């Protein structure tokens, strides 16, 4: 892009990073410059762990779905041995995408171009007319790294991704309490967003916007309250809670993660008094998760890596994944999880289950797009952050360090 685009600003990315003023939002170029986006691909998207999906999407051998981010397409598949693997959807012949449907079942992964065929483990098993000297064993599909957290499938495109071990150890009791290995995906929805991915992640980091922008959310969640009101409610919540669901926070997210570890965070906060779950009127909408015996008026947050976030109510979990598609567009994929033996129509109603975060994400999409439109203006300049935006500051600190590399 010509430098005229930035009104003659010829600063390098390093200079832009060094010029960032803590306590403020970032300069326009971070949200518009394709050169910066290119560096984000290398330094962020191809390095970290991202939520690809859930094991309940691929119960049988050969079941697969595609996870797509920026230019990358990954086949997440159940092998004959029942393992979950991930292969880059790039044929080793001349590079065609192999799976073209978003999900399906396959006995072999056969490229639609010249019919090279790969088994479910990614090994090349058939390639016509390639001559005696052609070594099929050297032409398997490129693997992507996969780790399961309960039934959540995390994927990394790095050969040497950050470690999830610290998180696994620290949060083992949390995963057990909420029954992370005993959930199923009940619904999912993609919200395309005409904005840079960082505006979407930043929006998710702060609840300064919750009261003005999310009436429905603010009727259930205490986090929408002003800080002094929230602290009073949180103090009562902590004093009266029996602690059977972990209350203690683990803040190893973004700039607080140890070098070599993937960032993660866990915390539990009160809902407004009398609310049980994230729904219309705060009503319960599904059977209690895992080992939870009752509603304690709280909800937990969990995040892993820079793009995947979860809100865990006592009866269901909502996952949010922010996926960059290009420098000026991204999407928010929302996933609703319930316990794996819950029956739709009997134990939960899909409309009631998904109502709050469907309506809230629709308004988030609107807010984020409006934000981008203003940031695109010649008159945009970084603005001061409020005290309710400290998580956003943490994200910005981490982001700038990651971009620097
Ligand atoms: S590109 Fe896949 S078989 Fe030729
Ligand atoms: Fe929001």
């Amino acid at each position: 892009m010509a430098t005229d685009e930035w009104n003659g600003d010829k600063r390098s990315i390093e200079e832009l990073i060094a010029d960032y003023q803590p306590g403020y939002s970032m300069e326009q170029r971070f949200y518009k410059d394709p050169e910066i986006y290119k560096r984000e691909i290398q330094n962020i998207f191809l390095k970290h762990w991202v939520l690809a999906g859930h094991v309940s999407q691929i119960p049988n051998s050969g079941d697969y779905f595609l996870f797509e981010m920026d230019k990358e397409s990954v086949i997440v598949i159940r092998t004959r041995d029942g393992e979950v693997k991930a292969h880059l959807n790039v044929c080793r012949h001349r590079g065609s995408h192999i799976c073209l449907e978003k999900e399906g079942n396959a006995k072999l992964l056969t490229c639609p171009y010249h019919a090279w065929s790969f088994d479910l483990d990614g090994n090349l098993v058939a390639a016509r007319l390639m001559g005696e000297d052609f070594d099929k064993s050297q032409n398997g599909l490129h693997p992507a790294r996969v780790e399961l957290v309960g039934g959540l499938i995390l994927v990394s495109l790095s050969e040497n991704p950050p470690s999830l071990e610290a998180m696994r150890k620290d949060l083992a009791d949390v995963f057990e309490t909420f029954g992370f290995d005993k959930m199923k995906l009940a619904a999912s929805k993609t919200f395309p967003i005409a904005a840079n991915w960082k505006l979407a992640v930043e929006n998710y980091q702060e609840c300064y916007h919750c009261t003005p922008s999310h009436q429905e959310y603010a009727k259930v969640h205490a986090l929408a309250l002003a800080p002094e009101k929230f602290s009073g409610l949180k103090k009562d919540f902590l004093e009266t809670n029996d602690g059977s669901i972990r209350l203690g926070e683990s803040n190893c997210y973004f700039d607080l993660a140890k070098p070599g570890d993937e960032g993660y965070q866990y915390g539990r906060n009160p809902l407004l008094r009398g609310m049980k779950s994230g729904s219309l009127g705060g009503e319960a909408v599904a059977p209690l998760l895992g080992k939870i015996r009752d509603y304690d008026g709280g909800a937990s947050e969990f995040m892993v890596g820079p793009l995947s976030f979860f809100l865990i109510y006592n009866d269901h979990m909502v996952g949010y994944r922010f996926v960059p598609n290009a420098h000026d567009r991204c999407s928010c994929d929302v996933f609703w999880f319930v316990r794996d033996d819950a029956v739709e129509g009997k134990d939960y109603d899909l409309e009631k289950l998904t109502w709050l975060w469907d309506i809230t994400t629709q308004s988030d999409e609107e807010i984020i797009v409006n934000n981008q439109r203003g940031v695109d203006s010649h008159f945009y300049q970084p603005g001061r952050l409020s005290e309710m935006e400290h998580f956003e500051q943490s994200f910005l600190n981490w982001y700038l360090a990651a971009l620097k590399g």
Side-chain angles (χ1 to χ4, degrees), residues 23 30 49 56 84 138-139 176 229 232 235 243 254 276 401:
F30 288 105
W49 291 99
S56 57
V84 175
Q138 296 304 306
N139 286 278
E176 193 173 329
K229 276 199 181 152
K235 192 166 164 275
F254 294 134
K276 291 179 169 170

Side-chain angles (χ1 to χ4, degrees), residues 107 176 213 286 289:
K107 289 196 169 51
E176 193 173 329
S213 300
L289 291 174

Side-chain angles (χ1 to χ4, degrees), residues 8-167:
D9 174 6
K10 292 192 174 67
R11 282 175 298 169
S12 66
I13 298 177
E14 272 59 38
E15 286 166 324
L16 259 181
I17 294 171
D19 287 347
Y20 170 70
Q21 278 234 35
Y24 285 78
S25 61
M26 296 194 296
E27 290 193 52
Q28 183 190 61
R29 270 179 62 191
F30 288 105
Y31 303 101
K32 291 199 59 148
D33 187 340
E35 288 307 314
I36 290 181
Y37 183 74
K38 269 191 211 156
R39 197 184 293 189
E40 290 169 351
I41 295 173
Q42 292 305 324
N43 289 10
I44 298 174
F45 315 143
L46 296 183
K47 275 202 174 150
H48 285 273
W49 291 99
V50 188
L51 173 70
H54 193 262
V55 293
S56 57
Q57 293 172 267
I58 45 172
N60 304 310
S61 153
D63 287 350
Y64 73 87
F65 63 83
L66 298 185
F67 163 56
E68 297 183 312
M69 174 167 69
D70 184 53
K71 303 274 186 292
E72 306 306 337
S73 174
V74 179
I75 306 164
V76 180
I77 196 161
R78 180 81 68 172
T79 68
R80 280 186 200 286
D81 300 334
E83 259 185 279
V84 175
K85 286 198 172 170
H87 315 300
L88 268 298
N89 191 11
V90 179
C91 183
R92 290 297 306 279
H93 175 220
R94 277 170 46 208
S96 170
H97 270 194
I98 298 164
C99 294
L100 307 180
E101 302 294 327
K102 292 258 178 257
E103 56 186 30
N105 180 279
K107 289 196 169 51
L108 277 179
L109 300 170
T110 300
C111 179
Y113 201 171
H114 314 91
W116 281 23
S117 290
F118 303 85
D119 68 15
L120 305 184
D121 290 290
N123 305 305
L124 179 62
V125 291
R128 295 173 303 123
L129 308 170
M130 292 302 295
E132 296 270 293
D133 64 333
F134 178 67
D135 185 356
K136 288 209 284 283
S137 74
Q138 296 304 306
N139 286 278
L141 294 176
H142 290 299
R145 298 284 301 266
V146 171
E147 287 221 27
L148 300 184
V149 175
L152 301 175
I153 304 171
L154 304 185
V155 162
S156 171
L157 300 178
S158 167
E159 278 176 20
N160 188 20
S163 167
L164 293 167
E165 283 319 299
M167 177 198 76

Side-chain angles (χ1 to χ4, degrees), residues 192-230:
I193 304 177
N196 181 270
W197 68 279
K198 296 187 291 300
L199 291 179
V201 173
E202 285 177 60
N203 176 66
Y204 195 76
Q205 298 312 308
E206 50 93 356
C207 215
Y208 191 36
H209 73 277
C210 293
T211 301
S213 300
H214 299 311
Q215 281 174 20
E216 301 82 5
Y217 172 92
K219 283 185 182 144
V220 177
H221 281 264
L223 269 175
L225 297 171
E228 67 287 0
K229 276 199 181 152
F230 174 75

Side-chain angles (χ1 to χ4, degrees), residues 180-372:
F180 265 54
D181 56 349
K182 294 188 183 64
M183 290 189 200
K184 68 172 178 183
L185 183 65
S188 65
K189 187 169 172 181
T190 292
F191 298 79
I193 304 177
N196 181 270
W197 68 279
K198 296 187 291 300
L199 291 179
V201 173
E202 285 177 60
N203 176 66
Y204 195 76
Q205 298 312 308
E206 50 93 356
C207 215
Y208 191 36
H209 73 277
C210 293
T211 301
S213 300
H214 299 311
Q215 281 174 20
E216 301 82 5
Y217 172 92
K219 283 185 182 144
V220 177
H221 281 264
L223 269 175
L225 297 171
E228 67 287 0
K229 276 199 181 152
F230 174 75
S231 339
L233 206 71
K234 178 135 184 181
K235 192 166 164 275
D236 290 354
F237 174 70
L238 294 177
E239 280 168 9
T240 55
N241 197 290
D242 69 2
S244 57
I245 304 173
R246 189 198 299 187
L247 298 167
E249 292 183 5
S250 277
N251 290 325
C252 304
Y253 53 88
F254 294 134
D255 57 335
L256 301 176
K258 291 206 184 79
D261 282 351
E262 184 59 285
Y264 69 95
Q265 188 259 346
Y266 171 82
R268 189 159 181 81
N269 282 307
L271 299 169
L272 291 177
R273 276 187 228 288
M275 302 291 137
K276 291 179 169 170
S277 185
S279 61
L280 181 61
E283 288 298 314
V285 284
L288 289 163
L289 291 174
K291 297 189 163 165
I292 298 171
R293 292 287 156 263
D294 205 355
Y295 292 91
D296 65 341
S300 295
E301 302 101 46
F302 162 56
M303 65 160 266
V304 54
L307 303 173
S308 311
F309 304 85
F310 301 84
L311 183 47
I312 325 172
Y313 300 105
N314 290 25
D315 59 356
H316 71 287
M317 174 163 86
V318 188
Y320 314 83
R321 173 182 70 192
F322 298 99
V323 178
N325 302 126
H327 72 279
D328 56 358
R329 74 199 144 76
C330 65
S331 61
C332 175
D333 301 305
V334 183
F335 302 86
W336 287 268
F337 301 96
V338 294
R339 56 183 298 150
D340 59 6
D341 55 2
V343 179
E344 188 193 333
K346 179 169 160 269
D347 297 318
Y348 65 95
D349 176 286
L350 264 191
E351 213 158 293
K352 287 186 178 161
L353 178 78
T354 58
W355 175 79
L356 179 63
W357 283 99
D358 187 10
I359 202 161
T360 305
T361 311
Q362 284 175 42
S363 38
D364 275 326
E365 187 218 320
E366 238 178 88
I367 301 165
I368 297 163
V369 171
N370 290 336
N371 191 177
Q372 179 76 61

